[in-house]
Amino acid sequence: MPHLRPICLGKGAGPTLFETETIMAEVKGNGTLTGSAMNGTKAPARFEESPEYQEALRLWQSRAEASPTTGMKYTTLSGKPVEMLYTPQDGGSSPDRFMQDLSFPGQYPYTRGIHPNGYRGKLWTMRQFAGFGTPEDTNNRFKYLLAAGQTGLSTAFDMPTLMGYDSDHPRSLGEVGREGVAVDSLEDMQTLFNGIPLGEVSTSMTINSPAAILLAFYACVGERQGVARDKLRGTIQTDILKEYIAQKEFIFPPEPSMRLVTDMVEWCAKEMPLWHPISISGYHIREAGSTAAQELAFTLADGFTYVEWALERGLDIDDFAPRLSFFFNAHLDFFEEIGKYRAARRIWARELRDRYGARDPKSLLMRFHTQTAGVSLTAQQPEVNIVRTAIEALAAVLGGTQSLHTNSYDEALALPTEDAVRIALRTQQVIAHESRVANVADPLGGSWYVEALTDETERLAEMLRARPVDLVLDVLRPQIAAGHRVFAHEFTGYWEDVGTIASYYRSNLELVRPHPRLMLHDTRWPILTRDEERPPVWLGDHASIEDSLVANGCR
């Protein structure tokens, strides 16, 4: 995009605001300036079409091709090849492309963020996921985190609560309080938030099938504290569709489950207008093995399904869409994740406006929470997880998240200790207050690499969304027929073809943690094969990662 002279509001020092707007109006769609805009001089070609640029590009190419390389394969974490260098032709630089796909922060299509001043008005909410043991135990952890500077609460429930069982049910044996807090009653919920003013803090609750019950508990606790339910702020996950896709913690069949979700959307729109009734979640899909584009495609498809059910109920799009929220993974491929978040905002805004007829600008804003990737943590050398988490958290911030959880370094071993969770929170605080990355809105906007990744992620996600039903059925039928045995050998090329739903299910079935890259010197862990006739391949000092992947048909 050509540079314009600065706007001058005084006399004699430059063009007026009107003159600058006139110059902008004379910028052609291909990025050149008309003769009048150049004060009557001949309009130059775009700089990347100039002989100087072309010669410099040829010189770089010849030198780069002659330079030695490490021999590694250069791909995104999702397996897509990346170029050695990205140029203006890759990221788009013309004014019409800028206004159509990028624009400014806080302006449609919101690629560059939903707030015009980025984080200058408000930092992201630092919301550490916490829950274990009894309600008293978790209440103490909540207070510890708030005292350490956390700005929002996030509640983890144990498996019996997630599945709708009381703690004294026979099926709850051995699971009570193990991976979250046990909540069986309104009294438990009151104990959980004892001494925490719900009118002053926002709360997230990660629960799906019994979400309506837990939300009712929370509203009642608010009333007991004297906080009207229309003043309560927070989010409850309620994303039942991703349970069928990835997490598998569903209780009811899909149709009655969707009716319950829509009931909650309708009720919250009327009774709890500050509450997010759904957190449409790609996180669990990514943890199950999907690529970044697949995470985005399936999450958006779920979101549009919730929109359509609410519209069929008779709700107006602008009455509920502003309170829909999202939940994404922050994985280790720094730039790919940033491109994913930017593409997500753009697709959501476009579809809500053009497909569903939203008129309120707030309906077009994709607000999302991010959690660093649990699947990237290792039990070996757990301190290194601090570095991984910091990289992932920085990607979430530079991608414009509204809320963030950073994993604790010891979570691959057990529930996090106080020291570990403090370091996780401090990681966010260092990013917020010491790194200066929050000073500028969308600081990576205009990076040719980031813009190219944004465009490519959008393209792949849209391709996936255009063909979901038949592919999902094609994948599920043989699985059901084979009694849920691994059927991934019927599909080809996870690494070569990340743009299919089949590759998502293949990765879901095959990827096993700990990752082989981290297990080279530990022969206890096999790489599982796709077929019973092929013997397991064991990693040791004698086998390279590449050889093991080839042996397992992953290359």
Side-chain angles (χ1 to χ4, degrees):
M1 180 176 180
H3 295 288
L4 298 178
R5 292 170 290 174
I7 296 175
C8 177
L9 300 180
K11 292 185 178 180
T16 65
L17 178 61
F18 173 77
E19 289 170 338
T20 304
E21 290 175 344
T22 302
I23 292 173
M24 282 294 292
E26 293 174 355
V27 177
K28 290 183 178 179
N30 63 4
T32 63
L33 293 175
T34 63
S36 60
M38 295 295 295
N39 297 322
T41 61
K42 183 178 180 180
R46 289 166 56 90
F47 76 92
E48 62 264 35
E49 298 172 357
S50 68
E52 294 84 359
Y53 176 90
Q54 294 297 324
E55 178 59 28
L57 179 61
R58 283 193 293 271
L59 178 61
W60 170 81
Q61 287 174 331
S62 63
R63 290 177 174 176
E65 290 170 359
S67 300
T69 67
T70 62
M72 295 175 60
K73 290 185 177 180
Y74 296 96
T75 68
T76 65
L77 190 62
S78 297
K80 296 297 289 185
V82 296
E83 301 296 334
M84 187 186 307
L85 179 74
Y86 286 78
T87 68
Q89 292 96 319
D90 300 301
S93 58
S94 65
D96 57 338
R97 167 72 163 70
F98 177 86
M99 294 307 298
Q100 175 182 330
D101 290 340
L102 297 177
S103 192
F104 295 92
Q107 294 182 18
Y108 181 88
Y110 305 101
T111 307
R112 307 190 65 189
I114 65 173
H115 299 301
N117 62 347
Y119 291 122
R120 289 195 176 194
K122 182 181 182 295
L123 288 172
W124 62 93
T125 301
M126 299 179 192
R127 193 187 301 279
Q128 293 300 108
F129 194 40
F132 63 93
T134 66
E136 291 88 351
D137 295 329
T138 300
N139 177 263
N140 290 332
R141 177 59 63 89
F142 282 166
K143 291 175 179 176
Y144 173 82
L145 290 167
L146 290 171
Q150 178 170 287
T151 53
L153 297 176
S154 182
T155 313
F157 297 99
D158 67 0
M159 184 60 72
T161 304
L162 293 174
M163 298 303 295
Y165 289 107
D166 287 338
S167 297
D168 59 359
H169 191 281
R171 289 194 175 184
S172 301
L173 184 64
E175 293 292 340
V176 177
R178 184 174 181 180
E179 61 177 26
V181 60
V183 174
D184 301 333
S185 65
L186 176 57
E187 298 307 314
D188 287 341
M189 185 67 90
Q190 184 160 342
T191 301
L192 182 61
F193 292 101
N194 181 47
I196 299 173
L198 299 189
E200 300 175 14
V201 65
S202 67
T203 301
S204 173
M205 294 187 286
T206 300
I207 195 159
N208 295 277
S209 290
I213 304 301
L214 274 295
L215 180 60
F217 285 170
Y218 190 84
C220 290
V221 173
E223 290 180 1
R224 289 183 176 184
Q225 290 189 5
V227 182
R229 56 186 179 232
D230 62 354
K231 304 298 182 185
L232 294 173
R233 296 179 296 115
T235 305
I236 193 161
Q237 196 161 97
T238 328
D239 181 9
I240 198 63
L241 292 177
K242 69 93 174 52
E243 297 298 327
Y244 300 111
I245 295 171
Q247 190 162 245
K248 312 302 183 187
E249 291 167 3
F250 54 86
I251 298 175
F252 313 113
E255 189 166 345
S257 293
M258 285 297 295
R259 181 173 56 79
L260 282 170
V261 172
T262 310
D263 289 344
M264 288 184 63
V265 171
E266 183 176 16
W267 189 83
C268 287
K270 298 174 182 176
E271 302 291 335
M272 296 181 71
L274 301 181
W275 192 267
H276 298 283
I278 314 177
S279 177
I280 306 159
S281 305
Y283 184 87
H284 315 81
I285 297 171
R286 189 67 177 279
E287 292 287 285
S290 79
T291 67
Q294 291 161 348
E295 175 194 358
L296 179 54
F298 302 148
T299 306
L300 287 169
D302 289 348
F304 296 139
T305 301
Y306 295 128
V307 168
E308 289 165 6
W309 274 68
L311 292 175
E312 290 176 6
R313 178 69 63 88
L315 302 181
D316 185 275
I317 184 73
D318 292 319
D319 287 341
F320 68 89
R323 305 311 297 171
L324 297 178
S325 64
F326 286 80
F327 175 23
F328 288 114
N329 194 294
H331 223 302
L332 273 170
D333 193 321
F334 183 77
F335 291 108
E336 183 179 43
E337 294 303 286
I338 295 169
K340 178 186 72 179
Y341 305 133
R342 301 170 94 249
R345 281 191 294 267
R346 187 156 76 201
I347 296 172
W348 182 254
R350 183 178 63 240
E351 293 293 298
L352 266 287
R353 186 190 71 173
D354 298 345
R355 180 177 172 187
Y356 296 109
R359 302 171 302 282
D360 185 347
K362 293 180 180 179
S363 298
L364 311 184
L365 305 182
M366 173 183 273
R367 300 170 179 84
F368 64 91
H369 171 72
T370 309
Q371 180 175 339
T372 56
V375 75
S376 71
L377 303 179
T378 66
Q380 296 75 24
Q381 302 180 49
E383 297 89 348
V384 182
N385 293 330
I386 299 172
V387 182
R388 296 185 180 99
T389 295
I391 293 169
E392 294 163 350
L394 184 58
V397 169
L398 292 175
T401 191
Q402 278 64 63
S403 175
L404 179 61
H405 164 90
T406 36
N407 289 330
S408 298
Y409 71 85
D410 56 0
E411 287 192 55
L413 297 166
L415 291 171
T417 60
E418 286 191 353
D419 284 345
V421 77
R422 186 183 68 255
I423 291 172
L425 178 58
R426 294 289 184 253
T427 300
Q428 294 199 46
Q429 292 167 335
V430 169
I431 292 172
H433 302 295
E434 299 182 30
S435 72
R436 303 297 193 270
V437 298
N439 286 354
V440 177
D442 189 32
L444 293 182
S447 158
W448 295 312
Y449 182 37
V450 169
E451 300 300 352
L453 283 173
T454 302
D455 294 345
E456 177 66 4
T457 304
E458 178 184 18
R459 184 189 69 80
L460 288 171
E462 291 290 73
M463 181 180 71
L464 274 167
R465 285 203 312 111
R467 47 192 291 213
V469 176
D470 55 340
L471 281 175
V472 167
L473 290 177
D474 287 345
V475 168
L476 292 181
R477 283 193 189 103
Q479 183 186 31
I480 295 170
H484 298 278
R485 291 175 57 190
V486 174
F487 58 92
H489 61 275
E490 298 179 13
F491 305 99
T492 58
Y494 171 80
W495 294 103
E496 292 73 25
D497 183 15
V498 299
T500 66
I501 288 178
S503 68
Y504 161 66
Y505 280 95
R506 175 179 172 185
S507 65
N508 186 11
L509 288 165
E510 286 192 350
L511 293 186
V512 180
R513 292 296 185 266
H515 195 283
R517 292 178 188 272
L518 303 166
M519 303 302 299
L520 283 177
H521 303 293
D522 190 340
T523 58
R524 292 174 299 167
W525 295 94
I527 301 299
L528 301 188
T529 62
R530 291 181 299 162
D531 141 0
E532 294 175 357
E533 289 72 37
R534 189 180 298 157
V537 176
W538 295 81
L539 279 180
D541 294 335
H542 61 282
S544 70
I545 297 169
E546 192 67 24
D547 289 343
S548 68
L549 292 174
V550 170
N552 282 276
C554 297
R555 283 285 190 269

